[in-house]
Amino acid sequence: MSMCHDVTEETFLSGGSHINQKLRNARSVLWRELHDLPLSMVYIPDGSYEYLSPCARDHIANMVRLASSGGNHLKMAHCSVTHPELVEDGSCVINSRLRGEVTVSRGSVIQNCHLQGPLGVGSGCLLTGIDPSASSDLQGCHLKDVILQAHSIRVQSLPLTVYSLLGTDDHLEVPAEGGSPTFLNIPWSEFFQRTGICESDLWGYEGSSKPGVLTAPLFPVLHPSHTLGVGDVLWFLSPKTQSAQHHLQRWRSSWRMSWQQIRRHLDQEGTLQARRELFFSQAQDKVQRILLGREERSLMPIIRAAVLEGTHHKLLDTLDTVASVTGDAGMAARALACVADLLGCMAGREGGLRSGPAANKAWAAAYLLLEKGNVTQGVKLLAEERESWLHRPAMLIRAARHYEGAEQILIRRAVISSFKFISVGDKELPRQGRWVTAECPARIDMSGGWSDTPPITYEHGGAVVNVAILVDGQRPIGARARRIPQPLLRLHSKSGPPGAEIHTQLTCGSLGDLQDYCQPQAPGALLKAAFICSGTVNLTCEKPLSEQLAERYGGGFELWTWSNLPHGSGLGTSSILAGAVMAVLYEVSGRSVDSESLIHAVLHLEQVLTTGGGWQDQVGGLIPGVKIGRSAPELPLHVTAEQLQLPDGFLEKLNQHLLLVYTGKTRLARNLLQDVLRNWYARLPDILQNVDALVNNAGLCAESFQRGDMQLLGRCLSTYWQQKKCMAPGCEPLAVRRIMDLLEPHVHGQSLAGAGGGGFLYILTKEPNQRDILQSLLEGTQGLERCSVHTVQVETEAFAVRLEPDGGV
């Protein structure tokens, strides 16, 4: 009431005529501390309040009801269960491990237990704190409507475990006059007859004449010559037999406790520690099950809990084991990514950014083993080196970076498995000096991008709709090659729009000149990697480069490449260029490949080059028209592409309504891929849902093309942009947002090409032929004068490599 707005201080302090000065002073404190705090009320439809009852059956019923009300998946919380189908609906298992065949009947609750089957728990039971050592006694024992608990107690400094057994209908307190006291749901007289225990064994010992569970020393704690266990209370349930006589004698010669005594000696710290250890034990099982079973569940809650509770070493060991035992490079990569997340979590908010170099030589030996495919030994070396990096936040962050570097190696090995889908044929070697040329369109990704990116594409499956396009009527990307008499490689490249081209020229006369092929920033790295991946040059051969070239081709090669698009365009330039280069190298060296093989060859090349990337760019540039590419959630990674059939006249309409707008900003690329993969490996719920949505939207986008529905296509584009922003937050600069807001009234839909951040914006206009109008609009807006609008035509001609006439260039 002190927090209510319509209550005055004096009204609250007076509190009625029976308030004395002490209460008034107390109310004054409440008023001073609480009155200025905001108070709000929330109405919960169909809400109810459950009062705690001393009745065990009520407690069990509440636990079961709460588990069932949220769906059957909530009947097991923080559990590792070998056979979940044996846990019946209407039961509840919490913080437990159930190994083997453990049946839990409807209406029973298992808490903080580690049970080893085969055994069964009947209905109406509550088991707490039972460990595997008790499982053998439980096997074959019929439990029904009982409460079996293990209690950690401490007598002086001696830690002990005592087992208690009760019936769910027993009253702990002595019932009032007329009530019928029970134990194990039966009258005491029947219990005495069943077991041979006498009333004097209990209350005579306690000095009480009234039978009651609280004061009865029923539960053995210590025996002078035997180790006690759960069997020393389970015999209470059996009819009087010869075995029961043996148990009775041991029971009488044991030091026993009543419920009251057990409560006085409870070791709460020991109990909590046991529960904590059980929690992380089942969590380790869960981690292995999720990773080895390829489950789409986040391990971040377990990782954070392990760090908070100081059990990260156990979790690290578990992740090492998973990475070592699986023969699947993709699965091992996810395990190493989880190690990186755990190390980053250990560093907390200190230590700097995780995005950064991973080139410390101390990790090089482990990296080399992973590159060679020796994952078991590689993971072992990583773990050994890791021990030296766990002491300071900055070192933890650096260790996390190196684990992400190891993860990238395994992703590369997983994707390189697509090499099996590259089919190369033989053909006549072209004459020396004759140019072989390939010109390629750019591509616009219309929907589904990011789902083609490893590991997402082989763990989830991908689908991308994109369009091969001419920019301002030109194919902007290309490569040409010819044989030359000199046994060396001459490499030339030109990139950038006319007037702002960047030229690179270099000559490779030895294998040493090619060694930096896997360093993307090195001059000519892509071209060098293409010679190696196409098999034109063998980097591991003992013969020098000149001898290899002279023997196989009678000389060397001259290779030229070009791209007329600005750097960071978002139009798939580098991957499409890689496809063109691979195509001309195969042709000029007397071999042939089809488009499907080229798509997988580019995947292979980009992994060797260490730039990563997906498959949709080369699909977009090497397959003409509008198409949907797909990959299944499996390894080896196999990409298929289906050209979409458009309604009559829709292609011409598309050419009139589709435009490119150059934003003037370089596309954001730095750390973008790393952040996306980090979120994917963490299996964040938002990312999982978004990847599903990306693939679904790609299907709807393909349908809009096939129906010729311009408005639906526009909605797909705008939806796709929202999905990109969810995938990579920060990919929409303010300047780009200004452009999109300005164009919004004129378009059905729009999105930045590629991963976003800058480069080209593609728009689907409401009216046809809007280039000049929109160019004027941008030029007339302050700050957007440098933006340029470009026409788009869908490329319909199939990709081909042509042999130029003699003397052609």
Side-chain angles (χ1 to χ4, degrees), residues 51 66 102 210 337 527 576 628 642 708 716 747:
Y51 288 90
L66 290 171
V102 179
K210 290 187 176 181
L527 310 188
I576 297 171
I628 182 168
E642 173 193 355
C716 288
V747 302

Side-chain angles (χ1 to χ4, degrees), residues 783-803:
L784 304 182
E785 300 90 347
R786 296 179 59 189
C787 297
S788 56
V789 183
H790 303 265
T791 61
V792 168
Q793 289 176 276
V794 178
E795 170 67 281
T796 56
E797 293 186 17
F799 170 79
V801 177
R802 70 175 184 269
L803 197 61

